[in-house]
């Protein structure tokens, strides 16, 4: 059951950056903002500093997948923006996944 959709519009990202709360760990920064919907919208940002397009897409897939598989643990009605940091580029799925959950717990949005 797919509850989430992607944040795609630049203004949606900006809105989350401006009004949301952020926490970071070694590999990721996570911004959270309540939305008026009954579902989460997730946006992922990976800058060129992280690596070439192959590396960036891999990182993006790992983040998206770790969110997707743990989606049921997250509260609903949130816009979530996840920003990858340079240190993430050589990490495997388990490391990325635990980083995502770690930030979710700091934000108190993971049950």
């Amino acid at each position: 059951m797919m509850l989430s959709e992607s944040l795609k519009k630049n203004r949606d990202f900006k809105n989350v950056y401006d009004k949301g709360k952020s926490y970071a760990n070694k590999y990721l920064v996570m911004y959270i903002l309540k939305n008026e919907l009954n579902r989460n919208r997730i946006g992922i940002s990976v800058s060129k500093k992280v690596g070439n397009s192959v590396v960036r897409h891999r990182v993006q897939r790992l983040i998206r997948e770790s969110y997707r598989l743990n989606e049921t643990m997250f509260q609903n009605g949130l816009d979530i923006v996840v920003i990858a940091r340079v240190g993430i580029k050589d990490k495997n799925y388990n490391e990325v996944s635990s980083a995502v959950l770690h930030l979710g717990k700091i934000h108190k949005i993971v049950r």
Side-chain angles (χ1 to χ4, degrees), residues 12-80:
D12 290 337
F13 274 83
K14 279 207 167 69
N15 190 32
V16 177
Y17 291 143
D18 294 344
K19 301 182 183 144
K21 275 191 68 159
S22 74
Y23 288 106
N25 59 26
K26 214 162 30 173
Y27 306 130
L28 300 167
V29 182
M30 185 184 279
Y31 283 82
I32 300 288
L33 183 65
K34 285 204 168 13
N35 63 32
E36 302 303 308
L37 310 162
N38 195 18
R39 61 188 179 275
N40 289 349
R41 298 189 304 174
I42 182 163
I44 298 171
S45 168
V46 186
S47 89
K48 284 188 174 174
K49 289 184 194 147
V50 175
N52 64 22
S53 67
V54 177
V55 172
R56 293 197 307 271
H57 279 97
R58 178 179 167 275
V59 166
Q60 194 167 8
R61 285 195 308 272
L62 287 173
I63 295 169
R64 195 174 298 286
E65 186 68 352
S66 40
Y67 174 77
R68 187 184 70 83
L69 293 177
N70 298 304
E71 195 170 30
T72 51
M73 294 163 65
F74 281 80
Q75 286 174 19
N76 271 343
L78 300 167
D79 284 350
I80 303 169

